[in-house]
Amino acid sequence: MTKWVYTFGNGAAEGRALDHEMLGGKGANLAEMCSLGLPVPPGLTITADACSAYYRDGRRIADEVRAQVLSGIASIEAVTGRRFGAGNSPLLLSVRSGARVSMPGMMDTVLNLGLNDETVQALGHDAGDARFAWDSYRRFIQMYADVVMGLDNEVFEEILEDEKARHGYEYDTEMTASEWQHVVHLYKAVLEEELGEEFPQDPQVQLWGAVGAVFSSWMSARAVTYRHLHNIPESWGTAINIQAMVFGNLGNSSATGVAFTRNPSTGEKSLYGEFLVNAQGEDVVAGIRTPQSITEEARISSGSDRPSMEKLMPEAFKEFVAICDRLEAHYLDMQDIEFTIERGTLWMLQTRSGKRSTRAAMKIAVDMVDEKMITEEQAVLRIEPSSLDQLLHPTIDPRVAREVIGTGLPASPGAASGEIVFTAEEAVMAEEEGRKVILLRVETSPEDIHGMHAAEGILTTRGGMTSHAAVVARGMGIPCVVGAGTMRIDLRNERLIGMGVTLKKGDIITIDGSAGQVLKGEVPMVQPALSGDFGRIMEWADRVRRMTVRTNADTPADARAARSFGAEGIGLCRTEHMFFEGERIHVMREMILAEDEAGRRTALDRLLPMQREDFESLFNVMHGLPVTIRLLDPPLHEFLPKTDEEIADVAAAMNMDATALRQRVDALHEFNPMLGHRGCRLAISYPEIVEMQARAIFEAAVQAARETGAAVVPEIMVPLVGLRSELDYVKERIDAIARDVMTEADMRIDYLVGTMIELPRAALRAHIIAEAAEFFSFGTNDLTQTTFGISRDDASAFIPTYQRKGIIEHDPFISLDFDGVGELIRIATERGRRTRADMKLGICGEHGGDPASIHFCEGIGLDYVSCSPFRVPIARLAAAQAAIKAR
Ligand code: PEP
Ligand code: MG
């Protein structure tokens, strides 16, 4: 026979805290508290499996489950000496949901179950308080009608308000027994009128009605939505806890409350919570009355003149504090606790690990190490890596109301406010004038890079998490929202049309790049502060980490920021971004537009010193740490003007005929530029470009070695290789230039030539490519794009739909697709190492900063991950956690 029901009470329990999959979080912890000998009202837990069975049987509670519940109730009767639904001391029950993970407020609860026209009288006598009995009865009818019978609470609220007004009362607590009795009469009448059925008097009917309703609430619309948002599988189901009621509403020596054992927003080690005298749990949740502080200290600091629990109920308070300490010591974590005091007697109703801010999580973990409760490694495992975002960027003050006018993807964390502008030029101008702006674009291109730098934040209405705007903004640490499809940019009239509002150039908006929201106006922010706790956690993390963490940085400023966050090298320098600044874009365009190789070489000769300077400053900042420089990757037309207006401007600036320029631009047009003339294909068509870049790198290395005394070992990376012969061709050019520069400088330069693995063919042929490549770096943005055949710039049009419809769980451009793309990485790793055992392997796609993907990289033994500067601490922590878990 399957065991569907687990009982607890009287210092013993059939379940344990570890049984949370079966008993739900609440049930498992009730059992554990009971075993610890804490005062827990006796009860039983119906397993989550029974919920699954309920759905399998067409929403029917099986006879076996019913029988086990009834025998469980018999043990509650035995412990309490009360009888369910009968006798002089009637037993009342609470029926509460409790899933494996907490889904706050998403499912249903029924309290005071077992009351009817007879038991209400007995309860009144037994408690010596008729008022309490009738108040409990009307609460029960109200809740049961709502949860089980589906009658909206509003009708009851109206009746109650009318009655209070009739008597001239402000609070429910002023109502007398006979007045509550009258309310019960009115409630039952309205129920019959609205539903055409009587309120059930039989406690057994009430019981099964409540159990069925709580199981059914697992599939309520709000629970389904919550599960989707938090990736909770539907198959889990909810457990149900049925417990003897204890009453916080039995007069002024009774109370109910909630508490955290440490402050959940600051982490400070002081009991933090609230309680209400003469109330039931739902009164605290509903916020009908303002709760009071638990400790005197909290009351004083809140400036309240209403007495604390410490003052009002000193005995219960003392016992409660001792239990809180005991629970923390038992669970070795900050607890979130619910309790009730019935006529001076304390009862524990729930305990669980409390939710907390990142700052609090840091402080609690560090304090617990100092208190010798947990080890340093356990502390490292306690911090959610992605939550570090909260600490690294200014964020919107959580206390302010948000006026959301649009939503998109949270592409780069942090929040920023500014005037809206529609072009990169305007952003640059505004910055020069000292104005703060948010740059709005349908999508960005490398040409916008200046404007992006100048802006406080970036908002696009198209594009996904690896679109140009997203990648660049993350790299720069600028807040960014992309693919805000609910908004429209009307470029001609310079307007932004959002949900119910139209804004014009110069109007102020705020973007929240962590939430993907666009807000109207300027919103107050809180500034980041990297506390000492943060430093200590990171130090412990670095001690256990195996993989190194590098950064994707294109400028000395990025590199400097990344080093301050602990980057141990550059894993990807995208050289194309260097060609947009000032004079360079003109020279670059001259090179692209040149008629022949000689013309191209003339322009490249002018680019050489600029490029050399770029690398020199990068090498200086990195001071001997490894630096991977990728050769030019994007298709050349990205550097050229697009609209007629832009073409006319550029033609004038270059002293060129606009029609000729238009023809050249048209000739470079590609249908699928992402799969077109880019990456190493450019290097093969125009080897002179590689030669210039290689020369710049080697000359800079010589210079930096002479200046800093720290030898640089440049790692030159060839993009988009699919064939070994492609790599051979490019490598030959690089080697030739290296020889030349070494002879000219009379100095030996060590360097590596490697390749990105970003095409499925390259992954499959890794053992052959490794014969020529000295390292691999997985370009998982392109590898995801080419494995799925999904354009990374167009994915946002349908990936959210895929997620909503359950076709895919995660956006594969954010979190690595382990099964497909991951398999290719695994294959390439194995085959590459088979040829070259000591080959250095890393990842430099956006996934290099994603904690789940970092775990995968640890699992297959990569040497490093590389990510944007602001994600470096996240990657350090995630890599440490992966190393600990891999043991
Ligand atoms: C990649 O493809 O993963 C990569 C790092 O290169 P990019 O994003 O510049 O194409
Ligand atoms: Mg790529």
Side-chain angles (χ1 to χ4, degrees):
M1 197 175 66
T2 312
K3 189 164 171 56
W4 303 105
V5 169
Y6 287 72
T7 58
F8 53 86
N10 224 6
E14 293 180 313
R16 289 298 313 267
L18 292 174
D19 299 331
H20 64 273
E21 289 184 14
M22 186 171 66
L23 303 179
K26 188 179 289 167
N29 288 324
L30 282 170
E32 188 82 4
M33 282 200 290
C34 221
S35 304
L36 290 172
L38 301 184
V40 174
L44 61 90
T45 304
I46 312 177
T47 63
D49 287 348
C51 181
S52 310
Y54 171 80
Y55 283 104
R56 257 198 321 273
D57 292 354
R59 300 202 180 208
R60 215 182 62 81
I61 308 164
D63 292 344
E64 209 172 78
V65 174
R66 285 175 193 253
Q68 292 185 25
V69 169
L70 290 179
S71 105
I73 289 178
S75 18
I76 304 176
E77 289 176 331
V79 175
T80 56
R82 298 173 171 274
R83 277 190 56 210
F84 177 52
N88 294 333
S89 291
L91 170 67
L92 303 194
L93 298 171
S94 68
V95 181
R96 304 164 84 195
S97 60
R100 200 185 292 190
V101 294
S102 136
M103 293 171 52
M106 294 301 127
M107 288 177 296
D108 287 326
T109 288
V110 180
L111 302 179
N112 303 318
L113 189 127
L115 278 173
N116 58 22
D117 296 348
E118 273 173 39
T119 51
V120 68
Q121 302 281 2
L123 181 72
H125 280 129
D126 192 45
D129 189 342
R131 189 195 159 280
F132 149 75
W134 286 103
D135 176 25
S136 301
Y137 194 17
R138 70 91 196 172
R139 285 170 187 268
F140 173 48
I141 296 175
Q142 201 168 333
M143 242 183 184
Y144 192 91
D146 176 25
V147 171
V148 185
M149 303 174 84
L151 181 59
D152 199 30
N153 235 322
E154 259 168 43
V155 292
F156 299 115
E157 294 295 345
E158 269 171 32
I159 292 174
L160 180 52
E161 287 312 310
D162 285 352
E163 283 305 295
K164 278 188 340 202
R166 207 158 64 82
H167 300 294
Y169 297 155
E170 192 179 343
Y171 297 110
D172 296 5
T173 41
E174 294 169 80
M175 298 278 284
T176 65
S178 58
E179 284 158 5
W180 278 132
Q181 186 172 358
H182 183 60
V183 168
V184 165
H185 169 75
L186 296 175
Y187 276 10
K188 288 205 295 194
V190 78
L191 198 122
E192 257 187 80
E193 195 182 300
E194 294 277 335
L195 300 178
E197 54 181 309
E198 280 185 22
F199 184 74
Q201 290 292 310
D202 180 351
Q204 295 280 335
V205 173
Q206 295 173 358
L207 174 67
W208 303 125
V211 169
V214 174
F215 276 155
S216 292
S217 69
W218 175 253
M219 291 305 286
S220 68
R222 61 173 193 256
V224 170
T225 308
Y226 185 90
R227 282 201 294 277
H228 273 295
L229 288 174
H230 294 85
N231 282 321
I232 300 171
E234 200 141 289
S235 58
W236 283 1
T238 181
I240 294 181
N241 300 290
I242 300 181
Q243 257 179 304
M245 282 294 300
V246 287
F247 300 98
N249 56 337
L250 252 175
N252 286 339
S253 60
S254 303
T256 188
V258 292
F260 291 89
T261 53
R262 302 189 188 214
N263 186 312
S265 63
T266 64
E268 206 184 312
K269 191 181 180 189
S270 61
L271 193 60
Y272 176 93
E274 297 171 325
F275 84 120
L276 269 180
V277 175
N278 197 11
Q280 274 197 340
E282 76 263 25
D283 300 334
V284 183
V285 179
I288 297 168
R289 283 187 274 149
T290 313
Q292 293 152 250
S293 303
I294 290 190
T295 62
E296 259 307 274
E297 194 189 331
R299 183 195 67 77
I300 293 164
S301 76
S302 74
S304 164
D305 54 4
R306 299 170 62 224
S308 65
M309 175 170 148
E310 184 172 2
K311 193 92 180 179
L312 264 186
M313 303 177 172
E315 287 306 310
F317 173 78
K318 241 194 332 223
E319 190 187 353
F320 182 64
V321 171
I323 289 178
C324 287
D325 289 347
R326 176 114 187 260
L327 285 173
E328 249 204 10
H330 182 72
Y331 285 101
L332 300 172
D333 197 7
M334 183 265 266
Q335 297 294 295
D336 166 0
I337 291 167
E338 286 179 19
F339 65 96
T340 280
I341 296 165
E342 181 183 302
R343 289 187 168 156
T345 304
L346 174 67
W347 293 98
M348 304 302 292
L349 301 185
Q350 174 165 315
T351 190
R352 61 181 173 202
S353 280
K355 293 216 187 315
R356 62 204 82 180
S357 71
T358 308
R359 201 176 306 281
M362 292 271 180
K363 176 156 177 56
I364 291 171
V366 168
D367 283 353
M368 286 191 167
V369 169
D370 291 340
E371 291 161 31
K372 308 236 173 331
M373 291 173 73
I374 59 174
T375 63
E376 292 172 1
E377 287 192 3
Q378 282 170 322
V380 166
L381 291 172
R382 289 272 169 99
I383 312 297
E384 171 58 40
S386 52
S387 74
L388 294 185
D389 265 356
Q390 279 185 27
L391 299 182
L392 302 174
H393 297 272
T395 46
I396 291 178
D397 188 332
R399 290 164 302 191
V400 304
R402 293 173 176 235
E403 193 179 338
V404 178
I405 54 170
T407 56
L409 296 171
S412 179
S417 304
E419 296 173 26
I420 54 179
V421 295
F422 294 88
T423 64
E425 289 69 35
E426 280 172 320
V428 173
M429 248 157 50
E431 191 199 27
E432 282 163 5
E433 292 165 14
R435 288 183 291 126
K436 294 188 155 126
V437 295
I438 304 289
L439 175 61
L440 260 60
R441 305 287 291 155
V442 173
E443 52 192 343
T444 63
S445 76
E447 257 180 289
D448 293 321
I449 215 112
H450 265 90
M452 296 171 80
H453 242 302
E456 298 293 310
I458 296 153
L459 169 64
T460 72
T461 51
R462 280 189 52 185
M465 293 295 277
T466 57
S467 64
H468 180 265
V471 171
V472 172
R474 275 198 292 276
M476 294 175 175
I478 296 177
C480 174
V481 174
V482 298
T486 56
M487 309 190 88
R488 198 164 60 78
I489 289 178
D490 170 7
L491 265 185
R492 188 174 323 180
N493 300 305
E494 301 194 305
R495 292 185 315 169
L496 171 69
I497 299 140
M499 298 192 242
V501 286
T502 300
L503 301 174
K504 53 185 193 318
K505 186 165 91 176
D507 285 346
I508 297 200
I509 61 166
T510 297
I511 59 166
D512 182 344
S514 312
Q517 290 180 339
V518 185
L519 315 176
K520 198 172 160 194
E522 187 158 355
V523 180
M525 309 269 176
V526 276
Q527 291 303 318
L530 301 187
S531 68
D533 299 327
F534 177 85
R536 286 183 70 193
I537 293 270
M538 295 313 284
E539 193 188 310
W540 298 333
D542 288 345
R543 225 178 275 157
V544 292
R545 181 157 58 82
R546 183 192 60 83
M547 289 190 291
T548 35
V549 175
R550 297 196 191 183
T551 190
N552 295 356
D554 312 331
T555 64
D558 289 350
R560 228 171 273 122
R563 279 206 67 186
S564 75
F565 288 134
E568 297 159 303
I570 291 180
L572 173 63
C573 167
R574 292 177 164 105
T575 49
E576 53 270 23
H577 290 153
M578 296 169 164
F579 295 118
F580 285 92
E581 249 169 60
E583 213 8 49
R584 297 171 179 207
I585 183 69
H586 302 306
V587 189
M588 188 69 186
R589 282 171 177 159
E590 267 176 51
M591 193 273 294
I592 297 167
L593 297 170
E595 301 284 325
D596 52 20
E597 187 186 322
R600 273 192 299 277
R601 283 196 185 275
T602 311
L604 285 164
D605 284 347
R606 288 173 58 204
L607 283 172
L608 173 68
M610 306 179 197
Q611 179 94 98
R612 186 171 53 221
E613 217 176 281
D614 294 330
F615 297 140
E616 247 183 74
S617 12
L618 265 192
F619 292 152
N620 285 339
V621 172
M622 296 312 287
H623 210 90
L625 292 174
V627 177
T628 306
I629 296 166
R630 179 178 74 187
L631 300 177
L632 195 68
D633 183 22
L636 295 182
H637 53 78
E638 283 204 2
F639 298 91
L640 296 179
K642 289 178 190 64
T643 63
D644 286 341
E645 226 178 358
E646 287 165 351
I647 289 176
D649 283 353
V650 170
M654 294 184 68
N655 230 347
M656 217 185 143
D657 174 43
T659 317
L661 178 57
R662 157 65 67 200
Q663 276 168 0
R664 188 77 181 113
V665 170
D666 288 347
L668 282 168
H669 169 81
E670 291 179 293
F671 287 105
N672 287 309
M674 273 290 183
L675 300 176
H677 201 177
R678 58 169 285 216
C680 65
R681 300 160 198 172
L682 283 177
I684 290 162
S685 304
Y686 310 112
E688 53 278 9
I689 300 179
V690 184
E691 289 170 14
M692 181 281 283
Q693 290 202 292
R695 179 168 279 280
I697 293 168
F698 293 128
E699 289 181 352
V702 168
Q703 198 60 30
R706 285 193 178 133
E707 271 173 31
T708 64
V712 181
V713 182
E715 300 174 358
I716 302 177
M717 183 152 77
V718 186
L720 218 73
V721 163
L723 301 158
R724 174 179 165 179
S725 49
E726 288 173 320
L727 181 59
D728 283 341
Y729 181 91
V730 180
K731 187 170 183 307
E732 234 170 73
R733 301 292 168 300
I734 297 170
D735 290 340
I737 298 288
R739 282 193 300 274
D740 288 353
V741 176
M742 284 194 260
T743 313
E744 287 156 23
D746 192 20
M747 187 185 201
R748 188 187 148 78
I749 312 164
D750 288 322
Y751 66 98
L752 301 173
V753 177
T755 178
M756 297 191 72
I757 301 287
E758 44 190 349
L759 295 174
R761 190 180 198 285
L764 296 172
R765 302 293 289 165
H767 49 302
I768 305 297
I769 292 175
E771 289 167 2
E774 290 164 297
F775 65 88
F776 284 167
S777 178
F778 292 98
T780 43
N781 302 333
D782 274 310
L783 191 58
T784 300
Q785 162 168 269
T786 51
T787 301
F788 275 90
I790 293 177
S791 150
R792 57 199 259 199
D793 292 325
D794 300 311
S796 70
F798 55 91
I799 292 286
T801 309
Y802 266 45
Q803 285 176 285
R804 209 175 44 251
K805 299 200 168 177
I807 309 280
I808 53 165
E809 219 172 292
H810 307 288
D811 181 340
F813 289 100
I814 297 174
S815 203
L816 204 60
D817 157 50
F818 302 142
D819 302 339
V821 180
E823 185 65 13
L824 284 170
I825 297 177
R826 198 190 308 275
I827 289 170
T829 301
E830 277 165 20
R831 294 185 184 174
R833 286 215 168 117
R834 207 189 300 153
T835 300
R836 200 185 280 268
D838 60 349
M839 181 167 217
K840 215 189 301 184
L841 300 174
I843 179 173
C844 67
E846 287 305 300
H847 307 86
D850 168 64
S853 311
I854 292 171
H855 270 256
F856 176 84
C857 296
E858 171 71 32
I860 59 166
L862 296 194
D863 298 298
Y864 69 86
V865 298
S866 187
C867 57
S868 54
F870 279 84
R871 279 176 157 190
V872 166
I874 296 174
R876 283 163 66 198
L877 185 57
Q881 294 184 348
I884 295 171
K885 287 183 182 162
R887 290 212 196 110

Short mmCIF file of all heavy atoms in Angstrom, two decimals, residues 374-398:
data_model
loop_
_atom_site.label_atom_id
_atom_site.label_comp_id
_atom_site.label_asym_id
_atom_site.label_seq_id
_atom_site.Cartn_x
_atom_site.Cartn_y
_atom_site.Cartn_z
N ILE A 374 29.07 27.69 9.48
CA ILE A 374 29.27 27.06 8.16
C ILE A 374 30.73 27.27 7.74
O ILE A 374 31.43 28.11 8.31
CB ILE A 374 28.33 27.65 7.08
CG1 ILE A 374 28.55 29.18 6.92
CG2 ILE A 374 26.88 27.37 7.41
CD1 ILE A 374 27.76 29.78 5.76
N THR A 375 31.16 26.49 6.72
CA THR A 375 32.53 26.63 6.24
C THR A 375 32.59 27.70 5.16
O THR A 375 31.56 28.14 4.63
CB THR A 375 33.02 25.31 5.61
OG1 THR A 375 32.20 25.04 4.47
CG2 THR A 375 32.93 24.16 6.58
N GLU A 376 33.81 28.10 4.81
CA GLU A 376 33.97 29.10 3.75
C GLU A 376 33.37 28.59 2.44
O GLU A 376 32.74 29.34 1.70
CB GLU A 376 35.46 29.41 3.58
CG GLU A 376 36.02 30.15 4.78
CD GLU A 376 37.53 30.32 4.74
OE1 GLU A 376 38.15 29.88 3.76
OE2 GLU A 376 38.08 30.89 5.70
N GLU A 377 33.55 27.30 2.16
CA GLU A 377 33.00 26.75 0.92
C GLU A 377 31.48 26.78 0.93
O GLU A 377 30.85 27.08 -0.08
CB GLU A 377 33.50 25.32 0.68
CG GLU A 377 34.94 25.30 0.26
CD GLU A 377 35.39 23.95 -0.26
OE1 GLU A 377 34.57 23.03 -0.35
OE2 GLU A 377 36.59 23.83 -0.57
N GLN A 378 30.91 26.47 2.08
CA GLN A 378 29.45 26.54 2.16
C GLN A 378 28.98 27.98 1.93
O GLN A 378 27.97 28.22 1.27
CB GLN A 378 28.96 26.04 3.53
CG GLN A 378 28.96 24.53 3.62
CD GLN A 378 28.71 24.04 5.04
OE1 GLN A 378 29.20 24.63 6.01
NE2 GLN A 378 27.96 22.96 5.16
N ALA A 379 29.75 28.94 2.45
CA ALA A 379 29.40 30.34 2.25
C ALA A 379 29.42 30.69 0.76
O ALA A 379 28.53 31.36 0.25
CB ALA A 379 30.35 31.24 3.02
N VAL A 380 30.44 30.18 0.06
CA VAL A 380 30.55 30.45 -1.37
C VAL A 380 29.34 29.89 -2.11
O VAL A 380 28.78 30.51 -3.01
CB VAL A 380 31.87 29.84 -1.93
CG1 VAL A 380 31.87 29.79 -3.44
CG2 VAL A 380 33.06 30.63 -1.41
N LEU A 381 28.88 28.71 -1.66
CA LEU A 381 27.73 28.08 -2.33
C LEU A 381 26.41 28.79 -2.02
O LEU A 381 25.42 28.60 -2.71
CB LEU A 381 27.62 26.61 -1.91
CG LEU A 381 28.72 25.68 -2.42
CD1 LEU A 381 28.61 24.31 -1.79
CD2 LEU A 381 28.65 25.55 -3.94
N ARG A 382 26.40 29.61 -0.97
CA ARG A 382 25.15 30.26 -0.56
C ARG A 382 24.76 31.44 -1.45
O ARG A 382 23.64 31.92 -1.37
CB ARG A 382 25.29 30.79 0.88
CG ARG A 382 25.33 29.73 1.94
CD ARG A 382 23.95 29.36 2.40
NE ARG A 382 23.97 28.17 3.22
CZ ARG A 382 23.94 28.19 4.56
NH1 ARG A 382 23.89 29.34 5.19
NH2 ARG A 382 23.96 27.07 5.23
N ILE A 383 25.71 31.98 -2.22
CA ILE A 383 25.41 33.20 -2.98
C ILE A 383 25.05 32.85 -4.42
O ILE A 383 25.81 32.17 -5.11
CB ILE A 383 26.62 34.17 -2.98
CG1 ILE A 383 27.19 34.34 -1.58
CG2 ILE A 383 26.25 35.52 -3.61
CD1 ILE A 383 26.26 34.96 -0.58
N GLU A 384 23.93 33.33 -4.86
CA GLU A 384 23.50 33.09 -6.24
C GLU A 384 24.35 34.01 -7.14
O GLU A 384 24.25 35.23 -7.05
CB GLU A 384 22.01 33.44 -6.32
CG GLU A 384 21.38 33.47 -7.69
CD GLU A 384 21.51 32.16 -8.43
OE1 GLU A 384 21.35 31.12 -7.78
OE2 GLU A 384 21.81 32.19 -9.64
N PRO A 385 25.20 33.42 -8.02
CA PRO A 385 26.12 34.27 -8.78
C PRO A 385 25.43 35.41 -9.54
O PRO A 385 25.87 36.55 -9.47
CB PRO A 385 26.79 33.30 -9.75
CG PRO A 385 26.70 31.97 -9.10
CD PRO A 385 25.41 31.98 -8.32
N SER A 386 24.33 35.11 -10.22
CA SER A 386 23.72 36.17 -11.03
C SER A 386 23.19 37.31 -10.16
O SER A 386 23.00 38.42 -10.64
CB SER A 386 22.63 35.61 -11.93
OG SER A 386 21.73 34.88 -11.15
N SER A 387 22.98 37.04 -8.87
CA SER A 387 22.46 38.10 -8.01
C SER A 387 23.52 39.17 -7.74
O SER A 387 23.21 40.24 -7.24
CB SER A 387 21.96 37.52 -6.70
OG SER A 387 23.05 37.16 -5.87
N LEU A 388 24.79 38.89 -8.08
CA LEU A 388 25.84 39.89 -7.84
C LEU A 388 25.59 41.15 -8.67
O LEU A 388 26.05 42.23 -8.32
CB LEU A 388 27.22 39.33 -8.19
CG LEU A 388 27.74 38.19 -7.32
CD1 LEU A 388 29.16 37.84 -7.70
CD2 LEU A 388 27.68 38.56 -5.85
N ASP A 389 24.87 40.98 -9.78
CA ASP A 389 24.46 42.13 -10.59
C ASP A 389 23.93 43.26 -9.72
O ASP A 389 24.20 44.43 -9.95
CB ASP A 389 23.32 41.73 -11.52
CG ASP A 389 23.85 41.35 -12.88
OD1 ASP A 389 25.07 41.49 -13.08
OD2 ASP A 389 23.05 40.92 -13.72
N GLN A 390 23.12 42.86 -8.75
CA GLN A 390 22.49 43.84 -7.85
C GLN A 390 23.52 44.73 -7.18
O GLN A 390 23.24 45.85 -6.81
CB GLN A 390 21.73 43.12 -6.74
CG GLN A 390 20.36 42.62 -7.13
CD GLN A 390 19.66 42.03 -5.90
OE1 GLN A 390 19.92 42.41 -4.77
NE2 GLN A 390 18.74 41.11 -6.13
N LEU A 391 24.74 44.19 -6.99
CA LEU A 391 25.74 44.95 -6.24
C LEU A 391 26.63 45.79 -7.14
O LEU A 391 27.31 46.68 -6.68
CB LEU A 391 26.64 43.98 -5.46
CG LEU A 391 25.97 43.10 -4.43
CD1 LEU A 391 27.01 42.26 -3.72
CD2 LEU A 391 25.22 43.95 -3.43
N LEU A 392 26.66 45.46 -8.42
CA LEU A 392 27.67 46.07 -9.28
C LEU A 392 27.17 47.30 -10.05
O LEU A 392 27.94 48.04 -10.60
CB LEU A 392 28.20 45.04 -10.28
CG LEU A 392 28.82 43.79 -9.63
CD1 LEU A 392 29.19 42.76 -10.67
CD2 LEU A 392 30.06 44.17 -8.83
N HIS A 393 25.88 47.49 -10.11
CA HIS A 393 25.33 48.61 -10.87
C HIS A 393 24.35 49.39 -9.99
O HIS A 393 23.75 48.80 -9.10
CB HIS A 393 24.54 48.09 -12.07
CG HIS A 393 25.37 47.35 -13.05
ND1 HIS A 393 26.03 47.95 -14.08
CD2 HIS A 393 25.65 46.03 -13.16
CE1 HIS A 393 26.69 47.04 -14.78
NE2 HIS A 393 26.46 45.86 -14.25
N PRO A 394 24.18 50.68 -10.31
CA PRO A 394 23.10 51.38 -9.60
C PRO A 394 21.78 50.68 -9.97
O PRO A 394 21.62 50.22 -11.09
CB PRO A 394 23.12 52.79 -10.20
CG PRO A 394 24.40 52.91 -10.92
CD PRO A 394 24.85 51.53 -11.27
N THR A 395 20.90 50.58 -9.02
CA THR A 395 19.62 49.94 -9.30
C THR A 395 18.49 50.84 -8.84
O THR A 395 18.72 51.77 -8.06
CB THR A 395 19.50 48.59 -8.56
OG1 THR A 395 19.93 48.79 -7.22
CG2 THR A 395 20.37 47.52 -9.18
N ILE A 396 17.31 50.57 -9.34
CA ILE A 396 16.16 51.39 -8.98
C ILE A 396 15.81 51.14 -7.52
O ILE A 396 15.78 50.01 -7.07
CB ILE A 396 14.97 51.07 -9.90
CG1 ILE A 396 15.30 51.58 -11.31
CG2 ILE A 396 13.69 51.72 -9.38
CD1 ILE A 396 14.28 51.31 -12.34
N ASP A 397 15.60 52.23 -6.81
CA ASP A 397 15.24 52.14 -5.39
C ASP A 397 14.01 51.24 -5.26
O ASP A 397 12.96 51.54 -5.83
CB ASP A 397 14.93 53.56 -4.88
CG ASP A 397 14.75 53.57 -3.38
OD1 ASP A 397 14.33 52.54 -2.83
OD2 ASP A 397 15.01 54.62 -2.76
N PRO A 398 14.14 50.13 -4.53
CA PRO A 398 13.02 49.17 -4.48
C PRO A 398 11.77 49.76 -3.84
O PRO A 398 10.69 49.18 -3.97
CB PRO A 398 13.58 48.01 -3.65
CG PRO A 398 14.78 48.54 -2.95
CD PRO A 398 15.31 49.68 -3.77
#
